[in-house]
Amino acid sequence: MVAGEASGDLLAGLLLDGLQARWPQVRKQGSMVGIGGPQMLRRGFEAWWPSEKLAVSGYVEVLRRYRELVGIRDQLRQRLLRERPDVFIGVDAPDFNLDLERSLREAGIKTAHFVCPSVWAWRPERVHKIKTSVDHVLCIFPFEVELLAQHGIAATYVGHPLANVIPRVPDRAAARAVLGLPDDAPVVAVLPGSRASEVKHLAARFLQAAALMHQVRPDLHIVVPAAPGRRAAIEQVARQVFGGRGIENCHILDGKSHQALAACDVTLIASGTATLEAALYKRPMVIAYAVHWLTAWIMRGKKLQPWIGLPNILCRDFVVPELLQEEAQPEQLAAATLAWLDDPARVAALQARFDALHAELQRDTPTLAADAIAQILPA
């Protein structure tokens, strides 16, 4: 298996639960190998490289580490071709995994891909690469199976694993107790992303926006879940932004993003899987993103839909604001985030839409995924 970054590691860990329930022998040392993170390691996975190595976004950022990433993929390919696993499962990270999957499939190794690349949102040409690279796709959104079938690609809708992990009715009070937050104060969760490039481009903007919100609402508490390896960089930005004013109300956490989302009233959040997590927690949000200007220019030409945030894509509407690139300035971010705190009717309507979305995505993902993998395993 290969999973890149924190979200892929989480999905892969849940998939491993299903594989181990169906095939207990998978728990044996050396049965699960490749690239993975803490959630996978917890299930006995042997990581030849950590998933953090693949946590890079944007064309410019990838170019800077191109030789390193290609070197890892070549070494991994050669090792897997020697050891010939029963099946290779790429978890997200399509730019890394699809080329690897094609090489393995051509050598007679069965391949599956967990999380359909978002050909329905941008880069539709990737559907041809999927067809030549993958024996079976595990889809986390229901409409993807029919789309892939139109191109002759076998796929199974397995639901979104997070829909089972996250409760339909989150316990805000319990989450606040765990994080040491008061019951009656407004709380904003600030999630500037898990990748180094995201923290570089977003942390200062997000925390400057948080400081502006704190000036307007001095009783506001700010929680910032830091992904593994990102706390020091975020703390440095927080000291620069807050100085000594209000920083006692800015709580930087080691991980705990789910507790932060459960505890908050609203979140300022980087586009990505975390936005779906926020939707499943039924939290209003402002989605923002910024990358190198050249990356943004290239991506703009490949975009197929007006939305980039998963909640908006799945609801087919701008149910939450998206502020991108030059629009993602602290003043605009602060104003859009505070607007949710002043409009309970708008929040209630959004929560109803998110609850319906939660029900649609809720399936027995580990079992369905294991059943799909069983279809392609050698006899």
Side-chain angles (χ1 to χ4, degrees):
M1 297 179 73
V2 168
E5 67 186 310
S7 60
D9 175 48
L10 178 63
L11 294 172
L14 296 170
L15 173 56
L16 285 172
D17 289 339
L19 298 179
Q20 291 174 344
R22 187 180 181 105
W23 297 287
Q25 64 269 32
V26 171
R27 294 189 177 90
K28 293 179 182 177
Q29 187 174 3
S31 296
M32 306 171 292
V33 297
I35 298 177
Q39 295 294 334
M40 299 166 73
L41 297 178
R42 203 167 293 153
R43 280 120 169 137
F45 187 85
E46 180 184 331
W48 295 337
W49 289 272
S51 58
E52 171 63 22
K53 287 286 187 182
L54 307 188
V56 58
S57 63
Y59 291 98
V60 175
E61 294 81 357
V62 169
L63 282 173
R64 289 176 179 150
R65 293 187 51 205
Y66 179 78
R67 292 182 64 182
E68 177 190 7
L69 293 170
V70 169
I72 291 172
R73 187 167 60 193
D74 288 345
Q75 292 178 63
L76 178 61
R77 178 189 293 113
Q78 293 306 316
R79 188 164 180 178
L80 292 174
L81 288 173
R82 286 196 306 270
E83 301 194 7
R84 300 196 65 82
D86 293 308
V87 63
F88 173 85
I89 306 172
V91 182
D92 211 359
D95 291 319
F96 185 96
N97 277 324
L98 287 176
D99 284 333
L100 177 59
E101 287 159 357
R102 181 161 54 188
S103 297
L104 298 176
R105 192 183 189 202
E106 288 173 351
I109 296 171
K110 294 296 184 178
T111 61
H113 196 87
F114 187 20
V115 183
C116 177
S118 51
V119 292
W120 35 267
W122 73 303
R123 292 178 63 187
E125 70 278 3
R126 283 189 297 181
V127 74
H128 305 295
K129 182 178 281 191
I130 297 169
K131 185 172 184 177
T132 59
S133 303
V134 181
D135 289 296
H136 207 93
V137 180
L138 307 179
C139 298
I140 59 175
F141 301 125
F143 63 86
E144 294 171 327
V145 173
E146 182 179 352
L147 185 152
L148 293 176
Q150 293 171 6
H151 297 276
I153 300 169
T156 299
Y157 171 53
V158 300
H160 201 295
L162 291 171
N164 289 319
V165 173
I166 297 170
R168 289 282 292 273
V169 182
D171 192 335
R172 192 192 310 263
R176 291 192 176 197
V178 168
L179 299 179
L181 297 169
D183 288 334
D184 54 351
V187 175
V188 173
V190 175
L191 283 77
S194 60
R195 300 163 172 160
S197 56
E198 291 172 331
V199 172
K200 174 183 175 182
H201 287 290
L202 298 174
R205 301 171 191 239
F206 280 24
L207 288 171
Q208 287 166 10
L212 291 172
M213 287 186 267
H214 188 263
Q215 290 176 16
V216 176
R217 302 280 295 263
D219 59 338
L220 186 70
H221 284 257
I222 301 142
V223 290
V224 190
R230 306 287 174 247
R231 178 163 187 156
I234 291 172
E235 284 181 335
Q236 182 179 2
V237 174
R239 285 193 294 269
Q240 293 170 349
V241 169
F242 285 93
R245 303 183 307 278
I247 196 165
E248 67 278 0
N249 276 18
C250 181
H251 313 270
I252 299 174
L253 313 173
D254 287 316
K256 300 183 180 178
S257 61
H258 282 203
Q259 290 95 325
L261 290 171
C264 75
D265 296 291
V266 62
T267 177
L268 173 58
I269 192 166
S271 178
T273 302
T275 62
L276 180 60
E277 295 172 350
L280 294 173
Y281 275 103
K282 322 300 182 301
R283 298 300 180 246
M285 71 191 82
V286 174
I287 297 172
Y289 212 69
V291 293
H292 190 283
W293 68 267
L294 182 57
T295 295
W297 181 78
I298 295 170
M299 291 176 69
R300 191 170 289 133
K302 294 176 177 288
K303 187 178 174 185
L304 298 181
Q305 300 189 75
W307 318 280
I308 70 156
L310 280 170
N312 289 338
I313 289 171
L314 293 170
C315 292
R316 314 299 296 171
D317 193 8
F318 281 104
V319 296
V320 299
E322 295 182 2
L323 297 174
L324 313 176
Q325 291 300 108
E326 59 276 2
E327 293 183 351
Q329 299 302 323
E331 293 79 8
Q332 290 96 313
L333 296 174
T337 305
L338 286 176
W340 284 111
L341 296 178
D342 298 324
D343 197 342
R346 182 181 172 214
V347 171
L350 181 72
Q351 289 173 333
R353 294 196 73 166
F354 283 168
D355 186 63
L357 176 62
H358 199 148
E360 185 178 17
L361 298 179
Q362 203 164 29
R363 299 289 186 275
D364 184 359
T365 301
T367 300
L368 291 171
D371 290 346
I373 297 298
Q375 296 176 33
I376 64 170
L377 282 176

